Amino acid sequence: MTGFVILGGISFLEKVPNKFECKSDSLHVIHLRNENMMHESASMAELEPIKSSGDWKQCSQQYICKNNLNLYKDLFRYDQTDPEYIDNWIQKFDLLCKPTEYIGLIGSCYMVGMFIGFFILPPYSDSYGRRPIFILTMILSTVAQGVILFTSSIHKLFLFMIILGTTFSGKNIVGLNFAIECTPEYYQQLVVSLYWTVELFSIIMWSFYYQKLDKNWFPLQAVYFVGGIITLIVAVFFLPESPKYLYTKQKFEEARQALSYIASFNGLRDHKKYVFDNELTEGASASQLTETAS
């Protein structure tokens, strides 16, 4: 899941439902339950839950929060017949009656992570290579996505949104540069165009998914999570280091190996041996210099 997709999807994940239904006798039931809990002669094992016999009626978020109905899941429910209803993080992290700052903090944590990541991942990719930093990015992203998928702790959500935010520059700067540097020059513009097309399509897909396919946030997030795992596996086992990065660091033999791997992957088996245009090798013949890479 790329950074722009996350930014585009946060508004859906944080959307508070508009319509609710409460039991008509909910306040009376709460009163009876509180009295029952305060009865000193009854042990916890002997207490039987007092069930509501009232009908469902429309109520507001203010009514639910004012009377603490959010603590009793059997006394209120979200109106899922509402066309704008989405089963999202409001339900997952029980944010309905939390201060609005909690909801805003989710996106803010991601932005804080983005800010931190800009000062770490791109500079480190110039020092240690595109491939290891991209792999580190995907490890952090996959772990963060996995925790967010399965945790119900709002504080863990805040922490791992920061971690997920730090991967923004790793995916959208390091990752894109990595792809461009492993691509022939005449295809590089196509790679950039394809990248932004996929980004735009993914953001549009959020709206289409919730309107036409499913109201539940989990399946789409799970797809992005699995996609991240696949990307990580490909990066670890199949992607070589950027030949251009190795060339700029004058690691010419490693650059040759990376180019040979890419050539073999593309079906070019009989490529010639060569040295680079600024490579200093003793005894290099003129014929060796006829093919150069920059």
Side-chain angles (χ1 to χ4, degrees):
M1 183 164 54
T2 63
F4 291 106
V5 173
I6 297 172
L7 288 174
I10 283 180
S11 60
F12 293 99
L13 296 171
E14 297 179 340
K15 186 180 185 301
V16 179
N18 296 319
K19 297 181 179 180
F20 308 87
E21 293 181 328
C22 303
K23 284 289 189 176
S24 58
D25 61 346
S26 57
L27 298 184
H28 179 63
V29 171
I30 292 175
H31 177 71
L32 292 177
R33 288 180 181 179
N34 289 338
E35 282 192 344
N36 202 14
M37 288 293 294
M38 294 172 62
H39 200 285
E40 296 181 354
S41 62
S43 66
M44 292 300 295
E46 294 172 338
L47 291 176
E48 293 184 4
I50 300 173
K51 297 182 179 180
S52 169
S53 58
D55 299 323
W56 290 106
K57 66 174 184 178
Q58 283 196 347
C59 58
S60 66
Q61 178 184 358
Q62 291 75 15
Y63 178 84
I64 293 171
C65 297
K66 179 180 178 181
N67 296 287
N68 296 322
L69 291 184
N70 58 304
L71 302 178
Y72 305 91
K73 304 304 182 185
D74 60 323
L75 299 181
F76 91 99
R77 66 186 182 186
Y78 300 92
D79 186 356
Q80 300 186 21
T81 62
D82 180 7
E84 297 184 7
Y85 170 79
I86 299 176
D87 182 2
N88 56 17
W89 287 356
I90 300 299
Q91 295 89 319
K92 175 178 172 63
F93 296 103
D94 194 20
L95 296 174
L96 182 62
C97 295
K98 291 286 195 301
T100 55
E101 290 79 6
Y102 269 68
I103 299 176
L105 195 56
I106 297 174
S108 297
C109 286
Y110 186 82
M111 299 298 289
V112 168
M114 284 178 56
F115 181 79
I116 295 172
F118 279 124
F119 291 96
I120 298 176
L121 298 182
Y124 273 45
S125 73
D126 292 334
S127 300
Y128 299 102
R130 312 290 191 239
R131 182 175 179 271
I133 299 303
F134 182 70
I135 289 175
L136 174 62
T137 294
M138 294 312 303
I139 291 174
L140 291 175
S141 177
T142 301
V143 170
Q145 286 180 253
V147 172
I148 291 172
L149 272 176
F150 297 106
T151 187
S152 58
S153 167
I154 186 64
H155 297 100
K156 286 184 180 179
L157 174 64
F158 293 152
L159 172 62
F160 283 93
M161 283 298 288
I162 294 176
I163 295 174
L164 193 59
T166 62
T167 67
F168 179 93
S169 57
K171 297 173 185 176
N172 296 282
I173 297 178
V174 178
L176 183 57
N177 285 338
F178 189 15
I180 291 173
E181 292 174 2
C182 291
T183 304
E185 185 175 355
Y186 47 85
Y187 284 133
Q188 290 179 358
Q189 188 59 49
L190 177 62
V191 169
V192 175
S193 299
L194 182 62
Y195 172 83
W196 289 112
T197 299
V198 171
E199 287 286 347
L200 179 61
F201 174 78
S202 299
I203 294 173
I204 294 174
M205 188 174 67
W206 280 95
S207 298
F208 177 79
Y209 173 82
Y210 286 122
Q211 288 184 9
K212 302 297 183 182
L213 300 180
D214 198 340
K215 297 291 188 179
N216 192 306
W217 70 279
F218 187 88
L220 183 59
Q221 293 294 320
V223 169
Y224 284 125
F225 176 58
V226 172
I229 294 175
I230 294 173
T231 302
L232 176 59
I233 293 173
V234 171
V236 171
F237 295 104
F238 300 102
L239 291 184
E241 178 58 274
S242 161
K244 186 173 183 179
Y245 167 80
L246 295 171
Y247 170 78
T248 58
K249 294 296 183 180
Q250 297 188 352
K251 298 180 178 181
F252 300 117
E253 185 57 37
E254 294 178 45
R256 264 191 293 274
Q257 293 175 3
L259 286 170
S260 297
Y261 177 86
I262 294 173
S264 299
F265 182 83
N266 291 324
L268 183 61
R269 304 293 181 182
D270 298 325
H271 52 280
K272 298 178 181 180
K273 299 292 183 180
Y274 55 85
V275 293
F276 294 99
D277 53 0
N278 62 347
E279 183 176 2
L280 301 177
T281 55
E282 294 183 4
S285 65
S287 61
Q288 285 179 303
L289 295 169
T290 58
E291 291 193 35
T292 62
S294 58

